[in-house]
Amino acid sequence: MLTLTCPYCGVAADETELAAGGEAHLKRFGPGSTDAEFDTYMFARENPKGVHFERWRHAYGCGKWFLAARDTNTLEVFGTYPAQSSAPPQHIRDAITAKRPGWTWRDFA
Amino acid sequence: MADGVSVLGGVSVGGAVALRDLGLTGMVTVRGNLAGGALQAVCAGLAGVGFPGAGMATGTAAQGIAWMSPDEVMVFVAHDAAGAAVAQIDAALAGVHHLAVDVSDARALIGLSGAGARDVLAKLTPADMHPDAFRPGMFRRTRLGQVAAGIWALEDGSFAVMCFRSVADHVFATLAQSVKDGAVGHFKG
Ligand SMILES: [Zn+2]
């Protein structure tokens, strides 16, 4: 069972109160982009065993989207943060580094 | 004008935990910057209670305010006062980005009282109903069984459940079954 704390409400929400929204920090490529850029945006996803960043929505709650950093292998949650973040905030990176020194994920470390 | 009728028709069930339809209630949803002084003042004035912080509710489900999200509160007033309340909010927040809508007929309110009320709720929701975690004055949007609901821990130790009108019968029946099945005894005292 996965429990994520909504960064807006502060409540510990059960997985069944949330809607999963896939990978976080995707950069959208739309009209005007190359076929290769659009293909990568549309289809290429990380599938790590370990540190991962995801979008979640507090569906049975405030209804807001937020982002979460967690370990897909252990279900350990490193932290949650607002959906308006274009990159993981430093305190989230620090929390991951404390548990998983040397971690990397796409361009983040 | 037709007389309003509560979707649950005033139903009540006795037992170790008593359930009852809290009846027609005026509910006004207000969205905007909750830190705004004018927004807080007009809502507090209408309900006659203080303005709640995140995850909290003030007053009762008859006269009160519940925090719904970082930019939304629900104001509870008398059923026939909801229209005037919207007008009053719109007047007080003229020129301020906001939304106030009378949603009285969108939801039903069910009261739960009795020593085992926390058990009755905990069997149906993933939210922590422990008295140390969910204290009087708190309001939590979550799910009961398969449907969305808000749970309010009132200051007098009873609870109010808010759900959509379309699922009110289902929620009442589910709560009644949970009462009938008896206490689990998970929460001591
Ligand atoms: Zn939330």
Side-chain angles (χ1 to χ4, degrees):
Chain A
M1 189 177 89
L2 182 63
T3 303
L4 298 175
T5 299
C6 174
Y8 311 111
C9 297
V11 304
D14 178 68
E15 188 174 346
T16 60
E17 297 175 274
L18 304 167
E23 188 175 320
H25 303 302
L26 291 178
K27 183 183 177 188
R28 184 172 187 271
F29 287 91
S33 62
T34 65
D35 284 356
E37 285 170 338
F38 184 75
D39 177 73
T40 302
Y41 156 69
M42 197 71 192
F43 300 112
R45 293 292 182 272
E46 297 297 294
N47 185 26
K49 181 179 180 182
V51 175
H52 196 31
F53 296 85
E54 296 170 317
R55 304 167 74 226
W56 288 87
R57 192 171 79 88
H58 194 188
Y60 284 87
C62 67
K64 310 277 185 214
W65 285 99
F66 63 90
L67 306 181
R70 69 181 184 98
D71 187 311
T72 59
N73 192 31
T74 63
L75 295 193
E76 184 174 3
V77 177
F78 302 113
T80 56
Y81 50 104
Q84 290 77 14
S85 316
S86 57
Q90 194 58 49
H91 73 276
I92 296 288
R93 298 182 193 218
D94 291 346
I96 301 171
T97 300
K99 296 282 181 61
R100 304 285 186 277
W103 68 277
T104 61
W105 186 88
R106 288 196 185 258
D107 296 336
F108 304 130
Chain B
M1 185 182 156
D3 293 331
V5 178
S6 164
V7 65
L8 287 168
V11 65
S12 68
V13 172
V17 176
L19 300 178
R20 70 184 179 93
D21 173 16
L22 293 180
L24 287 176
T25 305
M27 289 177 253
V28 177
T29 185
V30 182
R31 301 196 82 143
N33 176 10
L34 299 189
L39 187 150
Q40 291 193 4
V42 69
C43 293
L46 283 166
V49 297
F51 195 83
M56 309 294 286
T58 50
T60 69
Q63 285 281 128
I65 307 174
W67 188 92
M68 299 286 282
S69 87
D71 54 7
E72 180 185 2
V73 289
M74 187 74 80
V75 180
F76 299 84
V77 296
H79 188 256
D80 59 6
V86 170
Q88 206 170 320
I89 293 165
D90 284 340
L93 298 179
V96 179
H97 182 63
H98 78 284
L99 180 80
V101 182
D102 176 1
V103 293
S104 307
D105 299 327
R107 291 176 177 79
L109 290 161
I110 300 165
L112 289 81
S113 55
R118 285 182 186 274
D119 276 34
V120 167
L121 291 165
K123 282 186 274 180
L124 301 171
T125 176
D128 189 352
M129 290 289 107
H130 192 280
D132 291 345
F134 194 58
R135 300 181 297 279
M138 286 186 167
F139 182 88
R140 165 82 186 248
R141 292 172 78 179
T142 179
R143 65 174 177 85
L144 281 180
Q146 303 296 317
V147 300
I151 305 174
W152 188 342
L154 291 148
E155 295 291 348
D156 67 3
S158 69
F159 296 85
V161 164
M162 182 169 75
C163 66
F164 286 113
R165 177 191 177 95
S166 57
V167 293
D169 276 341
H170 168 74
V171 170
F172 194 92
T174 306
L175 286 168
Q177 186 64 48
S178 184
V179 171
K180 195 177 165 190
D181 290 343
V184 176
H186 183 64
F187 304 122
K188 309 292 183 225

